[in-house]
Amino acid sequence: NVGANGQGFLISTLTELTTVLAAATTDTVITIPANALVYYVSVLVGTAIPTAATFTVTGTSSGTQFDVAGGIAVAAATSDVGTRNCPYKNGASQTIRITPNLVPGAATGTVRITMVYYQAIVPTS
């Protein structure tokens, strides 16, 4: 929605199917834009993450946790709405980080991440 002087707002959705690495953390390619207001960062486990029992979903640089307290189970079809600490005002552009409680034994687990956010558009005249 844009007004006569260019001001307005934009509600956007970004989604990514992320393969969880056999590493301590895995970062997404999709990025929360600077100054966005995040409504949620939801997740759905597509393929179970081996070795680990749970994982957390946070902002890569801020450490802001979006998942339920205690982490999300790694079993296929497990989901979380991702509204913890939301709405969240994102100061600097950052990706999303998945952190399993144990390093996965293989890079075979997948997680669908979807974030919805609001951006203000400043006037141009």
Side-chain angles (χ1 to χ4, degrees):
N1 187 7
V2 179
N5 296 28
Q7 76 281 1
F9 64 91
L10 178 65
I11 297 177
S12 299
T13 301
L14 291 174
T15 188
E16 176 181 316
L17 182 62
T18 304
T19 298
V20 179
L21 304 175
T25 62
T26 301
D27 296 343
T28 62
V29 174
I30 57 175
T31 302
I32 305 170
N35 301 313
L37 184 64
V38 179
Y39 288 114
Y40 63 82
V41 180
S42 65
V43 297
L44 171 67
V45 178
T47 305
I49 302 169
T51 312
T54 62
F55 67 96
T56 59
V57 179
T58 61
T60 302
S61 57
S62 70
T64 303
Q65 190 167 357
F66 297 108
D67 61 281
V68 66
I72 303 163
V74 299
T78 302
S79 63
D80 182 71
V81 69
T83 55
R84 184 176 183 186
N85 296 310
C86 288
Y88 167 72
K89 199 284 190 175
N90 191 53
S93 179
Q94 66 178 324
T95 57
I96 302 299
R97 175 165 286 168
I98 296 171
T99 306
N101 69 319
L102 296 170
V103 173
T108 56
T110 60
V111 176
R112 166 70 61 193
I113 297 175
T114 302
M115 63 177 152
V116 173
Y117 59 91
Y118 165 98
Q119 286 181 290
I121 301 169
V122 298
T124 55
S125 65

